[in-house]
Amino acid sequence: MQKHWKTRLIHSDARIPEGFRSLNSPVYRASTTVFPDVAAVTDEWDVYEVGYTYGLYGTPTVLELAARICELEDGYRTLITPGGQSAISLINLAFLKAGDHVLVPESVYGPNRSFANRVLRKFGVEVAYYKPLIGLDVEAHIRPNTKLIWCESPGSITMEVQEVPAITAAAHAHNVLVVLDNTWSAGVLFDALAHGVNITMQALTKYVGGHSDLLLGSVTVKDPKLWEQLGATQQVVGTAASPDDCSLALRGLKTMAVRLRAIEESAKKIALWLCERPEIERVLHPALESCPGHQFWARDFSGSSGVFSIVFRPEFSKPQVQAFVNTLELFKIGYSWGGVTSLAVAYDFADWTSRPAYGHRIVRLNIGLEETSDLVADLENALSTMVQAGRAR
Ligand SMILES: Cc1ncc(COP(=O)(O)O)c(C=O)c1O
């Protein structure tokens, strides 16, 4: 067919050499995916069953990331979402309905709690919280309408390591599903599905992305029935992940083992150094005995990552703790973690009855890839500024 140049802009006959082979996965961006004929047209979502039908259900770049996470977590299928929080909300929407009851640990990531309080309750789901270290005793909280138990291990900021195998045993005895936020272990330092978890999710934003420049999440399941429920929900919720971000995450995966190893080593050295400091009451690092649930970390995990918290001694005021964080130079102040830059964020649990009584004295650290001795020097300088700030008052 003869084509006007304007048509050629869209339908070109230009050809390039074939046979290109690179070590990197191409970025396939698409909303439309083309069908060969009318009979093939379908809006089914399960790409593994019907092939590619629409960009929302994943392009090959998105599916490659999904397949790689699934392989690492030894699941049946993985779904990629536009962020860790959208993975959390998708799981809730897929597995809960009005009249159901969900159990959430008090140590859960803040926006997970907010979704339960603000959205699930609005749609008639009963939400109850449980103490993260409860283990088998979670059984006493299970009701006839309990459908889902959330776990997050270690918990956000207060770092309680949960006895996940005991929780899954109790849950399964009552036909209740267990979902774990496995972000801290990057999906590799704790084998969630082998420990009885039914649904495991991660914010790939953290260690998989690894460079603080993308937002992505994953949900992995072992049971094909759960996959059906999850995929059908994603289709109507419409949480499509960006292939460009997935390509960055695929790149992040290649270096994740060496980053994690370096971060683990540095974080442990820094945590041990902080244990010896007179200003610090407690170091909440899962690999140390001072962390609640350390014994479960020692039994169930194959390593530790780089996020942990410190609790200052009671004599330190809130302005002093703030002075500590403000004085840090290498540690930047900012949310999220798992990147190469060290971070520090001060929290205040003074108004919380359901969290340990650390009040304003808790600071969460994310250890990055800077030289450990420089990070220690930065912390040492900030600690002495904090002490001086107290004297000056
Ligand atoms: C434990 C945990 N889960 C989930 C998320 C949410 O991930 P995202 O920031 O990708 O939405 C975060 C983010 O800080 C987190 O710390």
Side-chain angles (χ1 to χ4, degrees):
M1 174 184 183
Q2 277 288 45
K3 290 181 228 165
H4 189 277
W5 68 265
K6 288 183 192 166
T7 302
R8 283 185 184 279
L9 293 179
I10 318 295
H11 303 275
S12 171
D13 293 324
R15 291 290 170 261
I16 55 169
E18 292 187 0
F20 177 73
R21 292 168 68 197
S22 112
L23 296 171
N24 308 309
S25 313
V27 182
Y28 288 100
R29 295 191 197 92
S31 51
T32 303
T33 57
V34 180
F35 299 99
D37 53 38
V38 173
V41 175
T42 172
D43 190 27
E44 295 286 312
W45 64 267
D46 195 343
V47 178
Y48 296 92
E49 297 296 323
V50 296
Y52 295 97
T53 61
Y54 189 47
L56 171 60
Y57 316 134
T59 73
T61 315
V62 180
L63 292 198
E64 180 168 350
L65 178 62
R68 292 205 178 204
I69 298 292
C70 196
E71 181 182 41
L72 285 174
E73 299 194 307
D74 198 18
Y76 168 66
R77 291 271 151 78
T78 295
L79 198 82
I80 302 296
T81 62
Q85 180 61 16
S86 55
I88 290 168
S89 47
L90 190 71
I91 290 165
N92 282 322
L93 293 171
F95 299 109
L96 293 169
K97 61 178 184 326
D100 287 348
H101 173 244
V102 60
L103 284 166
V104 182
E106 288 172 350
S107 52
V108 85
Y109 172 60
N112 188 334
R113 170 188 285 266
S114 302
F115 189 89
N117 290 345
R118 292 196 220 145
V119 182
L120 293 181
R121 282 191 169 137
K122 188 168 79 177
F123 289 113
V125 176
E126 290 170 36
V127 177
Y129 291 91
Y130 69 93
K131 301 244 164 275
L133 294 169
I134 195 172
L136 257 186
D137 290 342
V138 79
E139 189 158 20
H141 296 257
I142 295 176
R143 303 179 195 164
N145 60 340
T146 306
K147 288 286 149 50
L148 193 63
I149 300 180
W150 270 95
C151 293
E152 183 183 317
S153 184
S156 280
I157 308 153
T158 43
M159 304 302 294
E160 297 89 344
V161 184
Q162 295 198 264
E163 195 177 6
V164 172
I167 294 174
T168 58
H172 294 163
H174 296 267
N175 249 335
V176 175
L177 293 173
V178 176
V179 49
L180 172 74
D181 185 332
N182 203 17
T183 305
W184 186 85
S185 88
V188 290
L189 303 176
F190 177 73
D191 190 347
L193 298 174
H195 284 92
V197 168
N198 303 97
I199 307 152
T200 174
M201 55 88 24
Q202 287 186 62
L204 304 178
T205 309
K206 318 296 180 201
Y207 288 114
V208 173
H211 296 77
S212 313
D213 56 1
L214 64 86
L215 286 149
L216 282 174
S218 68
V219 186
T220 302
V221 292
K222 196 130 197 165
D223 179 348
K225 282 202 216 86
L226 300 184
W227 171 247
E228 283 289 317
Q229 263 175 282
L230 200 62
T233 308
Q234 153 112 327
Q235 178 177 39
V236 290
V237 175
T239 39
S242 147
D244 289 283
D245 288 345
C246 290
S247 145
L248 286 176
L250 283 165
R251 185 163 72 171
L253 275 177
K254 294 182 189 183
T255 58
M256 190 171 82
V258 281
R259 283 186 285 110
L260 274 178
R261 192 171 353 110
I263 284 170
E264 172 174 34
E265 215 172 279
S266 187
K268 278 202 293 196
K269 276 190 199 153
I270 292 167
L272 286 170
W273 180 83
L274 285 162
C275 284
E276 301 301 319
R277 292 293 309 197
E279 302 87 353
I280 309 284
E281 180 182 84
R282 195 165 185 181
V283 178
L284 304 173
H285 185 303
L288 301 184
E289 278 180 21
S290 49
C291 188
H294 159 77
Q295 67 275 28
F296 308 127
W297 174 84
R299 186 190 66 189
D300 298 337
F301 285 64
S302 59
S304 56
S305 60
V307 174
F308 66 95
S309 297
I310 48 178
V311 182
F312 289 101
R313 296 180 74 84
E315 60 264 33
F316 291 102
S317 65
K318 186 165 179 168
Q320 278 177 289
V321 174
Q322 288 173 339
F324 165 78
V325 176
N326 282 335
T327 306
L328 291 165
E329 280 181 42
L330 299 177
F331 285 84
K332 303 298 174 195
I333 304 170
Y335 285 127
S336 211
W337 41 273
V340 300
T341 311
S342 292
L343 302 170
V345 180
Y347 289 87
D348 191 343
F349 287 120
D351 295 333
W352 290 68
T353 47
S354 60
R355 299 291 288 253
Y358 301 137
H360 62 263
R361 300 179 288 124
I362 185 162
V363 172
R364 184 181 71 184
L365 301 176
N366 169 64
I367 304 303
L369 287 179
E370 301 91 341
E371 181 61 38
T372 310
S373 55
D374 287 347
L375 294 176
V376 167
D378 198 20
L379 289 165
E380 190 162 30
N381 179 49
L383 286 171
S384 50
T385 303
M386 178 180 85
V387 172
Q388 279 155 22
R391 289 202 191 108
R393 284 168 75 233

